[in-house]
Amino acid sequence: MIETENLTRKFGSLTAVENLNLQVNEGEVFGFLGPNAAGKTTTVRMLCCLISKTSGKARIGDFEVGSEKDCLAIRKMVGLLPENVGLYESLSAYKNLDFYGKLYEVPLQKRQENIERMLKLLDIWERKDEAVGNFSKGTKQKIAIARALIHEPQVLFLDEPTANLDPEASKTVRDFILDLKKEKRTIFMNTHNLDEAGRICDRIAILKTKLIAVGSPEDLERGTSNRKTVVHLESVSDAILAAVKKLSAVKNVRTSENKLILDVENPEKDNPELVRAVVKAGGDVQFVTELRSSLEDVYLKLIREAEAQ
Amino acid sequence: MRLWKSWIVTTKDLGVFRKNKYILYSLIALPILLGVLVPIILIFTLQSEATTLTQAQLTEAATTLVNLFTAYFVIIAAILPTIIASYSFVGEKLEKSLEPLLATPTTDGELLFGKSLAAFIPCVGATYIGALIFVIIIDTWSTINLNVFLIPNVYWAVVMGVVTPLVCVLSVEANVIISSRVNDIRAAQQLGGFIILPIILVMVFASTVTTFPLVTLALILSGALALADVALFYLSKATFQREEILTKWK
């Protein structure tokens, strides 16, 4: 649904996005992570035809980003939730949505139905005629999300969708995004919230001007560091330590209280042998668990590596 | 260009202006004040001369003064867009509502035209309200004292019907250009105020010209204003580029 090939944007001597190659599939929730000024918003703006690209190619569906004749079609098929909600504070929630519905050429009856459905879903229907300026940040964010969806776009770009929300409102928005995923909408989400990205994104890309990594949250967690096996014992003895150190699959071992923390090449293959060796050396095994890097660890590691280069 | 798209933007902006009391009061206060004050001053001036002039002389003096003071409404039509056009564009930027607006399937020209129209309609409307008050007061006095309706006359009709809207368009366009180069509404309004100066100079100059009939002069001025409007429209269109707005508007 979204495809970029060496997509680059420069502002004078500053390169905001460099040779970005991405492919986002239809119906996918795609997370776009990166520090401030990594080029995330610039990428979204290029893909929404708001700013031009310096070089490279990008397509949304069948349309070419940057082509003057395709830009209106792209804007019609995408919805955008920008970083700043940008609602008209003196107008009501209903009038804000109605205005955008008209600009997106949604017929009157459909527009009324969509506004009612979304405001009810986001629990704002009772306050539909109140000026937006009276609402909390979280409620404004919800209205802005409804605005991005007023024309039922095939592709939705969300820039920090839960940035201003309390935990309950964040969950409402997350659940809403997951509902949209069920409707096979493609969602491209810029976020700093790694926990949220891990929970709702099918795949994640990490950007720092250049693309650093892309994959599912699980792949990223596994792929960037050695997987560790943790063996919880009643007590750790020298004999047990000696026994596990003899195993060729074990690259490193350390202890922490009554736990052995081991670097193993292939846990699925090597762990049974490891457990047998521990038991044979007199160890009483209580639990065997895996110690994975969190998405946060992966993200910080990759960003630091990119900064060091 | 799809005018219905522009009209959507216009009606939204008019709705926003209606809710903003500062805009509403600023827009109405000046034309009403001048619509009432100018004829009162004019009537007092004429009344003080009434005993020394014949009715024909008084009618001629009244006509000359009415024609002269009509220029005030042209100046109002130039001033009012500095209030509203600066809100129309810089206000949108301050509310950070430009990005979602620019992301809609609307062309630069449609947005520009819609926003310009939203600034133009209330400014011309308010100017006409002031002018109507002026006409009512003057004609009430003139029918009682001179047995004639002094206005509307041909000169007044050309000035109000042609010159005033053309000046208003010029001011709106100039304010669009200014608002793309400034940080806040006050700066936009202060700079926009400079647009009034050349217009005042032209109107003062026009009122002193005696070699041309007034109507001919007003028509020549209209032609020049129409050309300036077209030139400024292309300049404002060149300024109103969505990429420029998103990346360079401060």
Side-chain angles (χ1 to χ4, degrees), chain A residues 80-82 85-89 91-98 100 115 118-120 122-125 127-150 161 165 173 176, chain B residues 100:
Chain A
L80 170 67
L81 170 74
V85 291
L87 294 161
Y88 299 106
E89 302 256 323
L91 300 184
S92 68
Y94 194 96
K95 281 191 174 163
N96 266 279
L97 297 183
D98 191 50
Y100 278 93
I115 294 171
M118 277 184 292
L119 289 182
K120 279 183 175 168
L122 293 167
D123 211 16
I124 317 170
W125 179 247
R127 301 177 69 191
K128 67 181 192 303
D129 296 321
E130 233 178 274
V132 164
N134 297 337
F135 291 132
S136 67
K137 274 186 179 178
T139 309
K140 285 178 188 171
Q141 187 81 346
K142 286 182 188 178
I143 297 168
I145 292 172
R147 178 187 62 198
L149 287 163
I150 192 71
L165 305 184
V173 170
F176 194 51

Side-chain angles (χ1 to χ4, degrees), chain B residues 163-193:
Chain B
V163 178
T164 299
L166 286 173
V167 163
C168 193
V169 168
L170 192 78
S171 181
V172 167
E173 287 170 346
N175 278 285
V176 170
I177 295 166
I178 289 165
S179 67
S180 68
R181 294 283 176 262
V182 294
N183 296 337
D184 62 33
I185 286 169
R186 284 197 192 109
Q189 287 172 345
Q190 281 164 6
L191 283 171

Side-chain angles (χ1 to χ4, degrees), chain B residues 2 13 19-20 45 52 85 95 117 132 145 173 177 180 182 192-193 219 223 227:
Chain B
R2 296 161 298 179
D13 271 9
K19 304 267 178 182
N20 188 325
T45 311
T52 57
E95 278 202 295
L117 202 59
L132 186 68
N145 293 284
E173 287 170 346
I177 295 166
S180 68
V182 294
L219 288 171
L227 288 176

